[in-house]
Amino acid sequence: MSPRVATTSPQSPTDTSTKALVRRLVRDYVGAHRQKIAIALVCMVLVALTTGAFTQLIKPIINDIFVAKREEMLLPIALAALAVFLIKGIATYGQSVLMSLIGHKIVAELQAQLYARLIGCDLAFFNRTAPGTLVSRFINDISVLRNTVSTTLVAIGKDSLTALVLVGVMFYEDWILAIIAFLAFPTAILPMVKIGRRMRKISGATQSQVGTLSTLLDESFQGIRSVKAYGMEAYETARARSTIDEVFELNYKGARVRGALHPIMEGLGGIAIVAVILYGGHQVITSNDPNAAGSFFAFIFALLLAYEPIKRLARLNSSLQEGLAAAARVFELLDLKPEITNRPGAAPLAVEGGAIAFQDVSFSYDDKTPALHQVDLSVPAGKTVALVGPSGAGKSTIMNLLPRFYDVDDGRVTIDGQDLREVTLASLRDKIALVSQEVLLFDDTIRANIAYGRSGASEPDIVAAAQAAGADDFIRQLPAGYDTAVGPRGVKLSGGQRQRVAIARAMLKNAPILLLDEATSSLDSESERQVQAALTQLMVGRTSLVIAHRLSTVVHADVIYVLEAGRIVESGGHGELLARGGPYAKLYALQFADSQREPAEAAS
């Protein structure tokens, strides 16, 4: 059987063509707001019509007031202008609010879907993907997409309707002038297409670089203690500055490319105005029609008013391509399919005793580095089995395979004879409690962090779990007790306190299978003694798999497996392994010598 690594990847590449991305956005997100868009469209029509109506008020203002000097027309024209502007103002407000609502709603929906997709991804995906990159796509890319959706919908709706009405007014007033005014604009199509393509590439590169910056910030802020301890502030500042400069260069390049549309549109607009003034002005001067001046000014106003929405429509492709670059990056994540999933027909895990077996298991991570080689391992039901060995021996990999954070390449892992790949993930992980050496507490109260082990747990159960973990005493000494906020990653608690809260969480879950990965590594001697006693009591009647570097914590394990380079080199009880004088005895002798040396060095 060829090695297979559990990964999270798209089943098929995301189609990033403009047509496919636009179709997907409209079908999956914009289309869900048809009613709101319809109402916004009515408002846009009113804005367009009132804008056109305003140009028609110019004719009576010029002809009846300035030329004919008819005073009785002042009030009607003024009231008509007031009505036009009131209707336009209300309609503009309506379409603006509705389009903003639609844009934010689409963003919220995308973010909710993206989070649900990411949280369901395999552990392998998170191990190879920087958190800053994910945060950048989650916030920056979707923000760009929101702006594009709002801009595009407004341009397609309000601006195109307004431009259409005003162009209609221009043709109504003088179709020859209208043709002259728009003769030059088709020449702008090719530059606009080229600018749009360049903007898509630049925008994609910019968002990628923003993700790199987010990762750098996350790493430096999370590792601030190391930064300061090694005096690397200047180095990290220079590294950040370099990335910030790259983001700046890309943003500036985008601004230059985007700004290239302005001279094009302004130049064409200037040509159109000059042509209209020359031809239209000559017509007015040589005409005997008393209404010619009013019609000419109405045309000029319509042309000037149409110029702004036409410019926004010209920028539409550039804005659209920026948004589509962000959409492509977001959809790539939305299209991720976790490989660690429930197989068809998977049944709930039925735990009777909780016996664990690794049968001829081999496994490699994404980089193809072998982590386990044909491992055979057995954890009898209700017994405690310990894994010992040097770092990189494969102990944590064995732990990772049990909850199916990864799937084996060869062989199989079973619980009570049931292949883990044939049972549902939810039922499997419900039967396992894990306490890792990498303690993670959420930025919430101590109560909420303990209750994370069992949804809906009662207060007495939470307190009992804390007491069993040796955490109740220090919790009650805190100003807010169980309501104390632990801060990001539990930073307000000491390492030992965080560990005990994590152990309390596992105790509250009360699962039949326990995985303890260096569960007491951050505790002082007294706390370790208390927690070890609680863990010993907790492990009674449960199947427990324990990793420990300090061999003194596993001397009472029923079976100890010694691993080296992904292989089991020996197994047995503590006394039996010592008597053999093999790898375990050497590890034990080395640790015993170190423990004897420390007091002697302290006394000297």
Side-chain angles (χ1 to χ4, degrees):
M1 183 183 296
S2 60
R4 178 181 56 79
V5 180
T7 60
T8 308
S9 59
Q11 289 183 337
S12 58
T14 300
D15 189 345
T16 58
S17 65
T18 297
K19 184 178 179 181
L21 291 172
V22 170
R23 186 190 302 119
R24 183 170 179 179
L25 279 170
V26 172
R27 182 190 68 225
D28 296 346
Y29 302 99
V30 178
H33 303 279
R34 292 185 185 90
Q35 292 182 341
K36 296 184 183 70
I37 291 175
I39 297 172
L41 190 59
V42 171
C43 293
M44 292 175 186
V45 169
L46 287 174
V47 171
L49 291 175
T50 51
T51 303
F54 174 70
T55 66
Q56 292 304 289
L57 287 174
I58 299 299
K59 292 169 67 176
I61 291 173
I62 298 296
N63 295 330
D64 294 337
I65 296 177
F66 287 97
V67 177
K69 300 185 185 300
R70 296 174 58 188
E71 187 175 356
E72 70 274 12
M73 293 300 295
L74 283 175
L75 184 60
I77 292 175
L79 291 176
L82 178 62
V84 165
F85 279 100
L86 283 176
I87 294 171
K88 183 179 180 181
I90 294 171
T92 301
Y93 171 79
Q95 68 89 22
S96 176
V97 169
L98 284 170
M99 296 313 299
S100 178
L101 172 63
I102 292 169
H104 286 293
K105 196 72 175 176
I106 289 173
V107 167
E109 181 64 23
L110 271 169
Q111 286 181 322
Q113 289 183 6
L114 186 57
Y115 183 81
R117 176 64 68 192
L118 291 176
I119 208 71
C121 284
D122 301 330
L123 194 62
F125 169 76
F126 290 99
N127 285 342
R128 66 172 179 265
T129 308
T133 299
L134 298 179
V135 171
S136 175
R137 293 200 188 187
F138 196 87
I139 296 176
N140 298 323
D141 286 356
I142 291 182
S143 178
V144 170
L145 188 54
R146 177 196 60 208
N147 294 335
T148 297
V149 169
S150 299
T151 301
T152 302
L153 290 177
V154 170
I156 292 174
K158 176 188 168 186
D159 291 338
S160 60
L161 286 171
T162 301
L164 186 63
V165 168
L166 292 171
V167 170
V169 169
M170 292 163 63
F171 273 92
Y172 170 75
E173 295 296 344
D174 192 323
W175 65 271
I176 296 177
L177 269 181
I179 292 175
I180 292 173
F182 289 104
L183 272 177
F185 282 95
T187 61
I189 293 176
L190 184 59
M192 286 190 293
V193 171
K194 289 184 176 180
I195 287 171
R197 289 173 180 168
R198 289 195 66 191
M199 281 309 305
R200 183 164 177 179
K201 292 180 181 179
I202 293 170
S203 181
T206 302
Q207 293 306 314
S208 177
Q209 217 39 48
V210 169
T212 301
L213 178 60
S214 297
T215 299
L216 187 151
L217 295 176
D218 179 70
E219 289 178 345
S220 58
F221 293 156
Q222 292 294 336
I224 192 63
R225 292 182 65 189
S226 296
V227 172
K228 291 188 173 298
Y230 287 93
M232 296 297 286
E233 291 93 339
Y235 170 78
E236 293 296 338
T237 300
R239 200 158 66 107
R241 181 70 196 201
S242 174
T243 307
I244 290 169
D245 286 343
E246 290 181 24
V247 173
F248 162 75
E249 289 296 337
L250 286 168
N251 280 324
Y252 180 51
K253 185 177 181 181
R256 293 200 312 270
V257 173
R258 196 184 302 110
L261 276 173
H262 293 291
I264 295 173
M265 295 307 298
E266 295 294 342
L268 292 175
I271 293 171
I273 293 292
V274 167
V276 166
I277 290 174
L278 290 175
Y279 178 82
H282 176 73
Q283 292 294 98
V284 171
I285 292 171
T286 59
S287 175
N288 294 321
D289 184 359
N291 295 322
S295 296
F296 178 67
F297 274 98
F299 185 93
I300 289 291
F301 266 87
L303 176 59
L304 293 175
L305 289 174
Y307 183 53
E308 284 303 318
I310 288 174
K311 279 203 302 184
R312 287 194 290 270
L313 287 170
R315 293 195 296 266
L316 176 61
N317 186 51
S318 174
S319 175
L320 178 63
Q321 293 302 327
E322 288 184 66
L324 292 181
R329 288 162 54 83
V330 171
F331 288 154
E332 283 174 2
L333 291 183
L334 283 174
D335 291 340
L336 290 172
K337 302 294 182 184
E339 189 170 317
I340 309 297
T341 57
N342 293 329
R343 289 187 176 180
L349 176 65
V351 176
E352 296 177 1
I356 300 169
F358 281 66
Q359 300 171 353
D360 198 28
V361 169
S362 295
F363 175 77
S364 299
Y365 288 102
D366 285 347
D367 60 3
K368 307 302 181 183
T369 302
L372 295 177
H373 306 267
Q374 298 178 317
V375 168
D376 286 296
L377 181 151
S378 177
V379 186
K383 300 297 183 180
T384 298
V385 168
L387 304 176
V388 302
S391 297
K395 304 184 296 298
S396 294
T397 299
I398 290 176
M399 286 281 195
N400 286 333
L401 293 176
L402 264 173
R404 279 193 74 197
F405 293 153
Y406 300 88
D407 271 342
V408 299
D409 296 339
D410 291 301
R412 66 179 196 147
V413 182
T414 66
I415 293 178
D416 286 336
Q418 301 159 86
D419 192 319
L420 300 189
R421 293 168 294 190
E422 303 299 332
V423 301
T424 62
L425 281 169
S427 65
L428 169 64
R429 293 170 183 173
D430 183 59
K431 300 297 189 295
I432 296 175
L434 169 66
V435 179
S436 173
Q437 58 182 326
E438 299 174 0
V439 178
L440 173 63
L441 299 185
F442 298 95
D443 190 5
D444 206 333
T445 64
I446 291 178
R447 176 185 288 101
N449 271 283
I450 295 175
Y452 201 81
R454 191 174 79 210
S455 179
S458 66
E459 180 73 12
D461 288 342
I462 293 173
V463 172
Q467 290 173 338
D472 182 68
D473 288 342
F474 87 77
I475 292 174
R476 294 190 182 279
Q477 292 174 8
L478 296 172
Y482 281 83
D483 292 317
T484 299
V486 301
R489 298 176 177 262
V491 68
K492 295 182 179 179
L493 302 181
S494 69
Q497 290 172 336
R498 290 196 298 270
Q499 192 75 297
R500 278 177 277 179
V501 170
I503 292 170
R505 178 193 295 167
M507 288 178 166
L508 181 65
K509 188 172 184 180
N510 198 26
I513 297 173
L514 297 175
L515 303 182
L516 305 176
D517 184 358
E518 297 291 337
T520 61
S521 62
S522 297
L523 305 182
D524 56 54
S525 299
E526 178 58 24
S527 297
E528 180 183 353
R529 184 190 63 77
Q530 295 174 359
V531 173
Q532 195 62 50
L535 289 175
T536 300
Q537 183 63 32
L538 180 65
M539 288 187 286
V540 173
R542 291 179 173 82
T543 305
S544 303
L545 189 60
V546 182
I547 293 177
H549 285 299
R550 283 184 281 187
L551 303 185
S552 59
T553 63
V554 296
V555 295
H556 299 296
D558 295 292
V559 181
I560 298 172
Y561 285 91
V562 184
L563 285 90
E564 288 183 0
R567 302 178 186 274
I568 294 176
V569 293
E570 64 177 349
S571 63
H574 171 69
E576 177 187 354
L577 292 174
L578 284 182
R580 288 182 192 169
Y584 179 82
K586 294 177 182 177
L587 282 172
Y588 190 82
L590 182 62
Q591 287 196 10
F592 181 77
D594 288 341
S595 64
Q596 293 296 316
R597 188 181 301 115
E598 289 173 4
E601 290 175 349
S604 61

